[in-house]
Amino acid sequence: MIVGRKNAGKASPFLLILISVGCFFATYNFLTMVGHSRSGDGPRKLLGGGDQGGAVAFGSGSDPSKRFHVALTATDALYSQWQSRIMYYWYKQMRVRPGSDMGGFTRILHSGKPDGLMDEIPTLVVDPLPEGADRGYIVLNRPWAFVQWLQKANIKEDYILMAEPDHIFVKPLPNLAHGEEPAAFPFFYIKPTDNEKILRKFFPEEKGPVSNIDPIGNSPVIIQKLEKIAPTWMNVSLKMKEDVETDKAFGWVLEMYAYAVASALHGVHHSLQKDFMIQPPWDAKSDNTFIIHYTYGCDYSLKGELTYGKIGEWRFDKRSYLRSPPPRNLSLPPPGVPESVATLVKMVNEATANIVGWDDEI
């Protein structure tokens, strides 16, 4: 089914059924059972549910056995949409360049209905958690979205890159995984050994020391066998959110801890790749990385001095564009600002200058 930019689907009756099931929070098994009961409907693919809408070009010399499918989880909020458009633009630019192992692309839209980008970005629509299930923590929908996608999609590649809307590819990304050992970016604020007491609720002692849990989130990760981890990841996420102590301790990174725990429960260890991604303004250079993650605001004085925590005379912060996308031709940072910040703004500007209908209402 091809859906135009202005069309919208009806709310899923499946979602309404799930809302009425009070025991949803207790176990993933019930969700899996219901998911299988929907299998007769088939996957709700749009534009092929991935890259199958047309011929896909690859970087010269790309080994088909190493190609990975780029999977982006997103919502239909405008804030998510404009980031997804920029991310997809740079995916297309980098996929065809030498050194790239990037394969197909799917935006996994966990809003339950099509949005205005169906004709622009290869998308598969999946159901969100029942209303109120995420308890205001929308990221909790991510593992459930991946579970549904893995059940429904026909993924040609052996590997998957789990990505986010606020990722920009700054150069062609090769497959950083080593066979069945996935590759992940280590986050300095994910500290399993510092949280042993809490993590033992979800990672029992018979599984080994807490140091077996990698200091990672689910993105960016290049992995070969996500199917066995994804249901556990979702189940652990829900249980962590239900636990008051865990929810308070982990806050907005709870779902990241849940992925790390789920992987360790399955005995999966990730190769930690520090050059996988940078996060301006804390990382000053982009020449030795593959992805810019612009999750932090960049605030500077006109002298090029960082004013983090205080709105700068010059700033770029994605949260400034919650209700409207950034305009074309953003002002570049003043002299003295790190190269990574300048590169980020230049790449945003290039994307918005070339995306057709950037200023149109979605």
Side-chain angles (χ1 to χ4, degrees):
M1 177 176 63
I2 303 298
V3 181
R5 292 184 58 151
K6 298 297 183 181
N7 291 350
K10 295 182 179 179
S12 168
F14 172 58
L15 177 60
L16 298 178
I17 293 172
L18 277 180
I19 292 174
S20 67
V21 182
C23 64
F24 165 84
F25 300 101
T27 176
Y28 163 70
N29 292 333
F30 174 75
L31 284 175
T32 303
M33 177 184 70
V34 177
H36 284 306
S37 74
R38 282 175 50 86
S39 60
D41 297 338
R44 289 197 285 169
K45 292 185 179 181
L46 298 139
L47 292 185
D51 64 284
Q52 289 85 0
V56 179
F58 301 103
S60 60
S62 176
D63 182 349
S65 68
K66 292 185 177 181
R67 288 178 191 154
F68 53 85
H69 195 97
V70 180
L72 167 70
T73 52
T75 75
D76 60 0
L78 190 146
Y79 179 64
S80 178
Q81 289 175 326
W82 69 255
Q83 294 175 52
S84 298
R85 298 179 81 186
I86 292 173
M87 193 272 195
Y88 183 59
Y89 172 86
W90 282 109
Y91 153 79
K92 291 189 294 181
Q93 299 302 307
M94 297 301 170
R95 180 187 65 190
V96 298
R97 298 183 186 181
S100 169
D101 287 323
M102 304 164 85
F105 186 103
T106 302
R107 181 181 62 136
I108 309 171
L109 183 63
H110 53 78
S111 299
K113 61 182 185 298
D115 68 356
L117 295 179
M118 308 307 296
D119 292 337
E120 181 175 323
I121 304 176
T123 297
L124 176 71
V125 179
V126 297
D127 290 312
L129 292 169
E131 185 176 357
D134 61 20
R135 305 187 185 187
Y137 181 53
I138 196 168
V139 184
L140 209 59
N141 286 277
R142 183 177 294 153
W144 174 220
F146 270 107
V147 167
Q148 294 175 85
W149 177 61
L150 291 166
Q151 289 176 344
K152 298 175 178 181
N154 178 21
I155 307 164
K156 297 179 179 179
E157 297 84 358
D158 290 335
Y159 294 86
I160 295 167
L161 166 66
M162 292 188 283
E164 298 180 16
D166 59 353
H167 286 176
I168 290 180
F169 296 105
V170 293
K171 63 182 179 182
L173 179 60
N175 189 339
L176 302 176
H178 301 286
E180 293 189 4
E181 182 183 47
F185 176 79
F187 289 90
F188 70 89
Y189 48 79
I190 302 297
K191 301 178 179 180
T193 55
D194 290 354
N195 294 280
E196 180 169 4
K197 180 182 176 182
I198 292 175
L199 290 174
R200 280 303 183 197
K201 297 180 181 182
F202 314 97
F203 190 75
E205 290 189 6
E206 56 264 30
K207 289 293 184 178
V210 171
S211 58
N212 286 351
I213 302 173
D214 293 327
I216 61 172
N218 73 90
S219 177
V221 166
I222 298 177
I223 188 168
Q224 189 175 34
K225 295 183 178 180
L226 183 59
E227 290 86 349
K228 66 179 182 178
I229 296 176
T232 307
W233 171 27
M234 190 187 76
N235 198 27
V236 173
S237 296
L238 291 169
K239 289 181 178 179
M240 283 186 170
K241 190 64 179 174
E242 290 173 353
D243 186 85
V244 175
E245 182 186 20
T246 306
D247 188 24
K248 182 178 179 180
F250 292 162
W252 65 275
V253 298
L254 180 148
E255 170 264 346
M256 298 172 69
Y257 270 102
Y259 175 79
V261 168
S263 300
L265 287 171
H266 286 278
V268 175
H269 172 72
H270 297 71
S271 171
L272 304 182
Q273 304 284 336
K274 292 183 178 180
D275 294 336
F276 206 152
M277 182 176 78
I278 62 168
Q279 302 183 95
W282 310 117
D283 299 305
K285 294 185 178 295
S286 66
D287 52 350
N288 290 320
T289 194
F290 298 99
I291 295 172
I292 289 179
H293 182 210
Y294 55 100
T295 188
Y296 296 106
C298 300
D299 289 274
Y300 290 88
S301 71
L302 295 181
K303 295 180 180 180
E305 299 168 336
L306 181 65
T307 63
Y308 193 76
K310 178 182 177 182
I311 295 177
E313 296 173 284
W314 180 92
R315 75 181 326 227
F316 176 77
D317 187 338
K318 65 179 184 177
R319 296 162 192 83
S320 299
Y321 307 103
L322 293 172
R323 296 178 178 84
S324 61
R328 285 173 164 151
N329 196 27
L330 292 167
S331 63
L332 296 179
V337 169
E339 173 271 327
S340 62
V341 177
T343 297
L344 166 61
V345 177
K346 289 176 182 177
M347 296 188 78
V348 168
N349 281 345
E350 179 176 334
T352 60
N354 288 283
I355 294 174
V356 176
W358 177 257
D359 297 321
D360 297 345
E361 180 181 352
I362 297 175

